[in-house]
Amino acid sequence: MSRQQELALSPGGRLRQLLATGKTLICPGVYDGFSARMALTVGFECLYMTGAGVSMSRIGMPDIGLVTQTEMVDTAGMIANIDPKTPLIADADTGYGTAVNVARTVERYITVGVAGFHLEDQVVTKRCGHLNGKECVGLSEYLSRIKAAVETRERRKSDIVIIARTDSLATHGLDEALYRLKEAVKVGADVVFLEAITTKAQLETYCDAFRGTGVATLYNRVQGSHGYKITPKEAEQYGLGIMLYPASCLVPAYTGITSALQKLRMGVEEERSERVAPLEIFRVCGMDEIQEREQGVNDWARAFKKDSE
């Protein structure tokens, strides 16, 4: 494929192309422009916008269903367009209401350039998938959300990737959770996402249930949680299509910033801060590209002025 053809691919098309390789797609959890810029600089092929991260960074609140659709869409659009060639998978929570709200959420995600999103079966006042006290809606309501997303995608002639997530493993058990995911695939979901897997047996059963079906499986590797821990290499062996690391930026930010602030409070400057010049950070955030564009505009203006004289 030529560079031109690659650039012509839609966000969803680029994500589908990555999934078609059969390799596990490792996606770091980003939540603002700075974390996204750092992940892009390191060279990840796909990013994941974590709802928990957006909730904490944008409104300073825990992930218990308080962040709004507007805040999620605005953040997703900003991240997705820093480098449109790198697809972004975004958390869409419950869709933020009824099936009508789901349709609007999907419509807006398509518009701002999101490549894929996951939609879950918790009640609207949801909680982080790794907290206790979760509640799930009935199967028909869950499927109505997936169906609304699929119909919106068809109406918009989009290829955005729809990821069906279920949190029912904790509330209804493994058999019901797998049944829900299979039913979601029947109504048009592209990828399945079993949240909060805690044992090797659960993971193996989940992967076996969809092996050879053409449906990609997603694993959410939440660092510090009670979830079953596997490495990227093991994810490949299980045949997982996507592996999310939602806390990959949150945890270092929390530990690093807290440590630096505690030292500053005691009157001690953080030594590592002296080793990073402001220009280095500006470059991560696109300073070189901006200066190149600025230089190009200035060169054009000088040439135009000379030709006009």
Side-chain angles (χ1 to χ4, degrees), residues 241-255:
I242 302 172
M243 194 165 177
L244 305 180
Y245 279 85
S248 55
C249 293
L250 276 172
V251 172
Y254 171 71
T255 56

Side-chain angles (χ1 to χ4, degrees), residues 150-163:
V150 172
E151 289 175 350
T152 303
R153 177 175 65 187
E154 291 173 352
R155 178 169 50 80
R156 284 290 302 267
K157 295 181 173 56
S158 166
D159 55 6
I160 193 168
V161 175
I162 298 173
I163 303 167

Side-chain angles (χ1 to χ4, degrees), residues 246-265:
S248 55
C249 293
L250 276 172
V251 172
Y254 171 71
T255 56
I257 294 172
T258 299
S259 174
L261 291 176
Q262 286 172 339
K263 289 180 180 178
L264 184 60
R265 181 70 180 83

Side-chain angles (χ1 to χ4, degrees), residues 44 66 83 114 137 167 201 288:
F44 283 96
L66 298 174
D83 179 7
V114 168
V137 298
D167 286 71
D288 291 344

Side-chain angles (χ1 to χ4, degrees), residues 73-86:
V73 171
D74 287 349
T75 306
M78 177 270 295
I79 293 172
N81 287 282
I82 291 175
D83 179 7
K85 298 186 298 300
T86 303

Side-chain angles (χ1 to χ4, degrees), residues 20 25 89-90 108 126 188 199-200 203 282 288 291-292 298:
L25 189 57
I89 297 172
R108 296 188 69 192
K126 61 149 288 177
T199 69
K200 181 179 181 180
L203 177 59
F282 292 163
D288 291 344
Q291 288 180 327
E292 285 175 14
N298 290 339

Side-chain angles (χ1 to χ4, degrees), residues 99-299:
V100 175
N101 299 93
V102 171
R104 183 167 181 262
T105 299
V106 176
E107 183 99 32
R108 296 188 69 192
Y109 270 180
I110 291 170
T111 299
V112 301
V114 168
F117 63 91
H118 62 76
L119 197 59
E120 67 197 53
D121 56 357
Q122 285 197 55
V123 296
V124 174
T125 51
K126 61 149 288 177
R127 304 172 69 83
C128 167
H130 289 260
L131 293 178
N132 294 325
K134 295 187 293 184
E135 295 179 59
C136 291
V137 298
L139 178 60
S140 62
E141 184 173 345
Y142 173 47
L143 294 180
S144 73
R145 293 174 182 175
I146 303 296
K147 195 168 187 301
V150 172
E151 289 175 350
T152 303
R153 177 175 65 187
E154 291 173 352
R155 178 169 50 80
R156 284 290 302 267
K157 295 181 173 56
S158 166
D159 55 6
I160 193 168
V161 175
I162 298 173
I163 303 167
R165 164 178 158 171
T166 182
D167 286 71
S168 62
L169 175 60
T171 59
H172 293 71
L174 183 58
D175 289 343
E176 172 66 16
L178 294 177
Y179 179 70
R180 288 186 174 215
L181 292 178
K182 290 174 182 178
E183 291 300 303
V185 169
K186 287 179 183 177
V187 297
D190 304 293
V191 179
V192 291
F193 175 179
L194 179 60
E195 174 65 315
I197 293 171
T198 57
T199 69
K200 181 179 181 180
Q202 289 174 348
L203 177 59
E204 290 176 343
T205 303
Y206 167 52
C207 293
D208 288 344
F210 294 96
R211 186 170 284 111
T213 65
V215 176
T217 47
L218 181 152
Y219 189 73
N220 196 25
R221 173 72 172 89
V222 180
Q223 300 98 305
S225 73
H226 294 296
Y228 183 67
K229 297 172 179 59
I230 61 171
T231 65
K233 184 177 181 180
E234 289 171 327
E236 291 274 5
Q237 293 169 351
Y238 280 112
L240 290 160
I242 302 172
M243 194 165 177
L244 305 180
Y245 279 85
S248 55
C249 293
L250 276 172
V251 172
Y254 171 71
T255 56
I257 294 172
T258 299
S259 174
L261 291 176
Q262 286 172 339
K263 289 180 180 178
L264 184 60
R265 181 70 180 83
M266 293 185 292
V268 180
E269 293 185 19
E270 173 65 57
E271 291 180 12
R272 289 175 298 180
S273 300
E274 295 297 330
R275 297 198 293 268
V276 181
L279 182 58
E280 181 179 339
I281 300 175
F282 292 163
R283 280 179 169 159
V284 168
C285 291
M287 175 64 96
D288 291 344
E289 293 88 342
I290 292 170
Q291 288 180 327
E292 285 175 14
R293 290 199 298 269
E294 188 177 53
Q295 184 63 49
V297 170
N298 290 339
D299 290 346

